[in-house]
Amino acid sequence: LQSNVVDSVSAYVADLASNIIATSEVELDGRRNSVRGMETNEGNMIADAMLWQANKNAASFGAPNADIGIQNGGGIRNNNLIAAGPISELNTFDMLPFSNFVTIVEDITPDRFKEMMENSVSRITGNGPSGGGTGRFAQIAGFSIVMDSAATALSYDVNGNIVQAGSRII
């Protein structure tokens, strides 16, 4: 068991850690309370990477180029600050451990898009990392939003119908 499983997995993880794929000039904030309640530079980097990847592969799938990228804060799981310097392949698995797929969704209306953004900020209870939030908070690329966390939050009933329209997205 030790040589077949533990040693093999340890060697694989060590290889991921030694494969440097990027360098960051700044510390990256992937702390749970940050990525679930406010924009962070790590969240921006991930959303930017998703937008880049979508546009790199769009033509091969017969899809149009994407205009924006979104990563839900709950999918970012490293829960720490990554020091400025080398970024390893293992760091990417620490940040995004789930096997999600980059997807291009076409024909989102402005009203639907606003509803999506209202949903992403509907559980924010204040500003900054102490403001809470849930995994639904959107880390974004290709656009920016301004939010008023004191305004009315979007809410749904148990069937997914809007009970209260949100007015947090300005």
Side-chain angles (χ1 to χ4, degrees):
L1 178 68
Q2 178 70 34
S3 63
N4 289 336
V5 176
V6 176
D7 293 345
S8 296
V9 170
S10 295
Y12 183 76
V13 170
D15 285 345
L16 292 174
S18 67
N19 184 21
I20 304 304
I21 58 172
T23 302
S24 178
E25 295 179 359
V26 298
E27 181 177 72
L28 298 174
D29 186 357
R31 294 172 297 178
R32 178 185 174 102
N33 286 341
S34 296
V35 298
R36 291 177 175 222
M38 66 182 211
E39 180 179 23
T40 71
N41 59 355
E42 184 176 309
N44 283 342
M45 178 188 71
I46 291 167
D48 286 342
M50 293 210 173
L51 178 58
W52 176 86
Q53 189 66 54
N55 287 331
K56 181 176 186 259
N57 293 342
S60 66
F61 287 101
N65 276 348
D67 295 315
I68 65 168
I70 300 173
Q71 167 63 46
N72 65 311
I76 302 172
R77 291 300 181 103
N78 58 302
N79 196 25
N80 65 10
L81 297 169
I82 298 175
I87 304 293
S88 72
E89 189 175 5
L90 182 61
N91 291 132
T92 68
F93 284 104
D94 289 342
M95 288 182 223
L96 300 168
F98 305 114
S99 57
N100 295 325
F101 296 94
V102 174
T103 303
I104 296 174
V105 179
E106 299 179 59
D107 302 324
I108 302 280
T109 66
D111 288 342
R112 179 69 175 134
F113 185 70
K114 182 179 185 298
E115 181 185 331
M116 291 167 53
M117 293 301 97
E118 287 286 351
N119 183 48
S120 81
V121 300
S122 65
R123 298 296 173 106
I124 301 296
T125 58
N127 293 317
S130 63
T134 63
R136 70 182 65 196
F137 186 82
Q139 299 291 334
I140 60 176
F143 70 106
S144 61
I145 60 173
V146 175
M147 167 188 95
D148 177 358
S149 61
T152 303
L154 173 74
S155 63
Y156 298 98
D157 65 18
V158 295
N159 297 315
N161 300 307
I162 295 175
V163 173
Q164 176 66 56
S167 60
R168 290 183 164 189
I169 299 297
I170 299 167

